């Protein structure tokens, strides 16, 4: 699969690139091409050091869209609107949101937009018919980036288009040690997004690291 990662230079973007680039063609996007090229070189070095194949390149965010079938929006919630306005052609792609709107107050709090979730805001801002899914919301970036630990992760995927959701589930399940679960329509995405502040609160108040979820 050809996967583009918008904001792929950040924590979650680079982590997901490291896990996907052994089996897929990954384009790490950035507002600055040089930054993306540097991140892609770091990703290549880390993945090949593990003896794994790696297909990754760095480019602008727009080039990452143009080169890909699936586009992951690995950007902070507050940058959704200007970023989507700066990109063209997303209506022809499967767009994946790992975005969790939240704030750190005395504890972490889920702060969804009036649309109900980050995923529904993404859907509203894109042309009608754009296939939007949410995925990768509940896995801490460190889990993707640390190769020394075997993964044992659950990734819920929400979406309205069965074909697009199937493609995203296949993408998720192509990562060894990761189980993908159909978590319902895009309207259910708020239930997945709000798990992250819960996980961060559990980590903080119980002195734990990179807390995740499993379905058993
Ligand atoms: N970090 C985690 O553990 C984690 C886990 C699950 C889900 N998530 C979600 O994944 C998303 C990304 O998280 P992150 O921790 O990877 O974020 P991050 O490292 O803070 O930022 C990701 C990228 O966003 C781009 N960016 C920064 N400011 C921008 C702006 N003004 N306009 C457009 N792009 C901008 C930057 O790329 P360039 O400067 O290269 O353009 C940056 O590398 C968030 O929505 C978060 O809720 C994060």
């Amino acid at each position: 699969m050809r996967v583009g990662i918008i904001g792929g230079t950040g924590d979650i973007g680079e982590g997901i690139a490291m896990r996907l680039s052994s089996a897929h063609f990954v384009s790490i996007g950035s507002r600055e091409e040089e930054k993306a090229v540097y991140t892609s070189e770091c990703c290549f070095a880390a993945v090949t050091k593990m003896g794994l194949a790696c297909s990754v390149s760095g480019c602008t965010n727009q080039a990452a869209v143009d080169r890909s079938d699936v586009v992951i929006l690995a950007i902070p919630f507050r940058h959704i609107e200007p970023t989507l306005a700066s990109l063209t052609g997303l209506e022809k792609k499967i767009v994946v949101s790992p975005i969790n709107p939240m704030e750190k107050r005395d504890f972490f709090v889920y702060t969804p937009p009036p649309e109900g979730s980050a995923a529904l805001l993404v859907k509203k801002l894109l042309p009608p018919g754009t296939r939007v899914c949410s995925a990768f919301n509940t896995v801490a970036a460190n889990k993707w980036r640390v190769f020394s630990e075997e993964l044992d992760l659950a990734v819920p995927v929400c979406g309205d288009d069965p074909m697009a959701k199937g493609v995203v589930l296949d993408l998720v399940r192509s990562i060894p040690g990761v189980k993908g679960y159909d978590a319902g329509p895009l309207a259910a995405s708020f239930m997945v997004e709000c798990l992250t502040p819960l996980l961060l609160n559990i980590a903080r108040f119980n002195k734990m690291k990179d807390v995740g979820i499993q379905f058993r």
Side-chain angles (χ1 to χ4, degrees), residues 126-137:
L126 291 171
T130 306
R131 293 164 299 164
V132 178
C133 292
S134 59
F136 302 110
N137 302 72

Side-chain angles (χ1 to χ4, degrees), residues 62-194:
Q62 184 61 55
V65 173
D66 296 340
R67 292 177 187 176
S68 306
D69 310 302
V70 176
V71 177
I72 300 172
L73 302 175
I75 51 169
F77 174 75
R78 63 187 177 281
H79 304 314
I80 291 178
E81 237 173 299
T83 302
L84 293 184
S86 73
L87 299 171
T88 58
L90 282 166
E91 67 281 4
K92 298 183 204 107
K93 316 290 174 174
I94 295 171
V95 177
V96 179
S97 169
I99 302 170
N100 302 310
M102 61 184 183
E103 278 172 22
K104 189 175 178 192
R105 299 179 190 161
D106 290 344
F107 54 91
F108 289 94
V109 179
Y110 182 55
T111 52
E115 289 74 14
S117 66
L120 287 175
L121 174 63
V122 167
K123 172 104 180 151
K124 184 184 130 184
L125 292 171
L126 291 171
T130 306
R131 293 164 299 164
V132 178
C133 292
S134 59
F136 302 110
N137 302 72
T138 55
V139 181
N142 268 345
K143 284 278 177 203
W144 300 123
R145 295 159 72 103
V146 178
F147 270 111
S148 51
E149 267 176 45
E150 268 190 33
L151 296 181
D152 180 16
L153 299 174
V155 171
V157 177
C158 297
D160 295 333
D161 181 295
M163 193 281 285
K165 185 153 57 174
V167 169
V168 177
L169 280 165
D170 285 347
L171 187 67
V172 165
R173 291 169 181 156
S174 70
I175 306 173
V178 180
K179 293 191 189 85
Y181 292 88
D182 185 342
L186 205 65
S189 190
F190 76 96
M191 287 185 253
V192 179
E193 295 176 13
C194 73

